[in-house]
Amino acid sequence: MLAYLSRELKKLNAEGLLRKPMVIEDTRGVRVKIKGQWFVSFCTNDYLGLTQHPAVKSAVVRATRRFGAGAGSARLLAGTISTHHSLERELAKFKNTEDSLLFTSGYVANLSVITTLIRKEDVIFCDELNHASLVDAVRLTKAEVFIYRHCDMGHLERLLGRGGGVKSLISNTRRRFIITDTTFSMDGDGAPLREIVTLARKYNAYTIIDEAHATGVFGKEGRGLAEELNIEEKTDIIIGTASKALGSIGGFVTGKDVVIDYLRNKARQFIFTTALPPGVCAGTIEALKILRCREGKQLRYRLWQNTNYIKSRLLEAGFDLRHSISPIIPIVIGDTKKTLRISQLLWQKGFYVPTIRPPTVPPGQSRLRLVITAMHTREDIDSLIKILITSIKV
């Protein structure tokens, strides 16, 4: 086995696909210290800078001093601490739903919700570019799966005609589920949610949406793309994460009381794992408070100012930004080795923009994935654009 693993690693290295994580030694806003040198990072998902917000950090410290560094147990044993309960109440209030349930990560939330609610007798309709956590969860259900072309509603409707009937979310009846990200993590584009919920009603299907990259970014109150498009009440289950715009860690699901109670009692990934640290939950509660007040609105405004500015500049320079509607901006180079070379040139100029390579994206679609935040300055953006234009021509 070791010989096989060694050969596979050598093969990955030869193809420019071998990954080794960069160790960040210090962080100041979007500036990160790596190997003793400071870089401007354009790859963090901390869209609003809440990871380093003084109030968030203080909340983490206070809760840690009070309860300790970890929860010490699974939630249904001795691991439910008041901060877990408070955060779940705040998330339900934030999302305008009856209840919510926490998980240790967004990945685990997707696995938990989908594998617990969907049975092998059911039918799933899954966007081809959904996040790996959604794809893995769908595979684990053993249900019949139809993959529809990315955001292609005509294709989705044709496939929906092949499923069985549906009566109750928790029943033995063959049911249909449409599963999609709302904001796609590699291209930064958005799902056509209005069309999806219309098709769901027409074909008697349930919708499960993941607002991971949309929470805190879209919507007047920052609830996500479903809020932005005014279809929250037409969506059955909304999954999210605190690890991006909320600046923390942990996944969550919001929905009807009966759905959350069922997950609380049946989701193996919830039942058989130690709970999130109380300090983490306290930090997320504080982040939600900031998000919902004037400061949060100002941070979102600054985020979109930066996003719109860099997009307009890149489009003027002739870059193809795909269909990005978000602060995630793909610059597809294609060839992996060329993409690595451009990333290295940016590195030499003090910008940390790692490459996105297969299998994260399909072969021939290696790219630089820029992520814009409220913390970037106009000078950061102008300097990056100048270097990008020069690097692409090399």
Side-chain angles (χ1 to χ4, degrees):
M1 183 181 75
L2 295 180
Y4 165 76
L5 297 178
S6 180
R7 287 196 302 271
E8 287 299 301
L9 288 171
K10 287 178 181 178
K11 182 181 177 182
L12 287 173
N13 191 45
E15 295 171 348
L17 300 177
L18 187 67
R19 291 167 167 80
K20 291 184 178 180
M22 289 290 184
V23 178
I24 294 175
E25 300 157 355
D26 199 355
T27 305
R28 297 174 189 171
V30 288
R31 279 148 181 81
V32 294
K33 189 177 184 182
I34 303 172
K35 298 180 180 179
Q37 182 179 344
W38 286 96
F39 297 86
V40 180
S41 172
F42 274 93
C43 58
T44 176
N45 293 323
D46 184 20
Y47 295 111
L48 304 177
L50 295 182
T51 295
Q52 300 168 69
H53 193 287
V56 173
K57 292 195 290 186
S58 293
V60 173
V61 172
R62 287 196 303 272
T64 302
R65 283 176 175 161
R66 180 181 177 186
F67 295 107
S73 181
R75 288 286 304 276
L76 296 183
L77 294 176
T80 294
I81 297 170
S82 59
T83 52
H84 297 112
H85 187 55
S86 297
L87 177 53
E88 286 172 340
R89 285 204 312 266
E90 289 301 316
L91 285 167
K93 189 188 303 182
F94 172 58
K95 289 286 189 175
N96 286 336
T97 56
E98 293 179 3
D99 203 355
S100 76
L101 188 64
L102 285 172
F103 298 91
T104 51
S105 72
Y107 202 116
V108 172
N110 282 332
L111 290 179
S112 300
V113 172
I114 292 170
T115 60
T116 304
L117 295 181
I118 301 179
R119 300 176 178 181
K120 64 181 180 181
E121 297 85 8
D122 297 328
V123 185
I124 296 172
F125 302 87
C126 182
D127 190 291
E128 66 176 339
L129 294 188
N130 275 342
H131 189 267
S133 58
L134 292 173
V135 173
D136 289 351
V138 164
R139 289 172 177 167
L140 288 170
T141 64
K142 299 182 181 179
E144 185 175 11
V145 179
F146 292 97
I147 305 297
Y148 62 90
R149 289 189 292 270
H150 182 50
C151 293
D152 187 333
M153 294 298 96
H155 190 214
L156 173 58
E157 183 164 17
R158 290 194 296 275
L159 293 175
L160 278 164
R162 304 180 188 178
V166 51
K167 292 183 180 178
S168 171
L169 187 59
I170 310 300
S171 74
N172 292 318
T173 310
R174 185 173 171 87
R175 304 159 302 173
R176 299 185 183 97
F177 291 85
I178 302 172
I179 300 175
T180 185
D181 282 303
T182 64
T183 305
F184 293 90
S185 60
M186 288 299 110
D187 284 343
D189 55 336
L193 295 180
R194 288 198 182 106
E195 292 86 345
I196 286 173
V197 296
T198 298
L199 288 174
R201 287 193 169 189
K202 180 178 178 180
Y203 289 94
N204 216 13
Y206 294 106
T207 51
I208 299 177
I209 65 172
D210 183 0
E211 291 267 39
H213 283 278
T215 301
V217 174
F218 289 97
K220 184 179 179 181
E221 302 300 323
R223 292 197 298 270
L225 194 59
E227 182 202 0
E228 179 99 359
L229 299 176
N230 196 30
I231 55 92
E232 288 174 294
E233 292 182 358
K234 299 176 182 178
T235 303
D236 296 296
I237 295 172
I238 298 178
I239 301 169
T241 180
S243 65
K244 296 174 174 57
L246 292 177
S248 185
I249 190 66
F252 60 86
V253 58
T254 61
K256 298 287 187 182
D257 285 333
V258 64
V259 176
I260 302 304
D261 281 341
Y262 185 85
L263 290 168
R264 191 178 286 117
N265 285 275
K266 290 286 189 176
R268 293 172 63 83
Q269 297 88 343
F270 172 80
I271 296 169
F272 296 106
T273 191
T274 298
L276 283 167
V280 164
C281 296
T284 306
I285 292 169
E286 190 64 34
L288 282 169
K289 290 179 183 176
I290 295 167
L291 191 65
R292 301 172 75 178
C293 72
R294 183 179 179 183
E295 183 181 2
K297 289 178 171 60
Q298 291 173 337
L299 287 170
R300 284 199 300 281
Y301 177 75
R302 196 181 312 154
L303 168 66
W304 283 107
Q305 269 196 322
N306 285 344
T307 299
N308 294 332
Y309 175 73
I310 191 170
K311 282 183 176 179
S312 65
R313 289 289 311 277
L314 289 171
L315 288 170
E316 286 173 7
F319 286 90
D320 178 6
L321 307 183
R322 296 292 176 103
H323 300 289
S324 172
I325 64 165
S326 72
I328 300 169
I329 304 174
I331 299 180
V332 179
I333 309 299
D335 180 74
T336 297
K337 291 184 178 179
K338 183 178 180 181
T339 310
L340 286 166
R341 187 168 65 249
I342 295 170
S343 178
Q344 186 60 33
L345 286 170
L346 289 167
W347 173 272
Q348 292 169 2
K349 298 292 185 178
F351 291 90
Y352 183 37
V353 187
T355 57
I356 305 295
R357 298 165 278 172
T360 307
V361 293
Q365 292 193 29
S366 290
R367 67 192 63 188
L368 302 175
R369 175 182 175 270
L370 305 179
V371 183
I372 311 306
T373 76
M375 299 175 290
H376 286 111
T377 66
R378 189 60 57 89
E379 183 182 354
D380 293 334
I381 294 170
D382 286 338
S383 298
L384 176 73
I385 292 169
K386 183 177 179 181
I387 298 165
L388 272 174
I389 293 171
T390 304
S391 300
I392 297 294
K393 294 178 180 178
V394 174

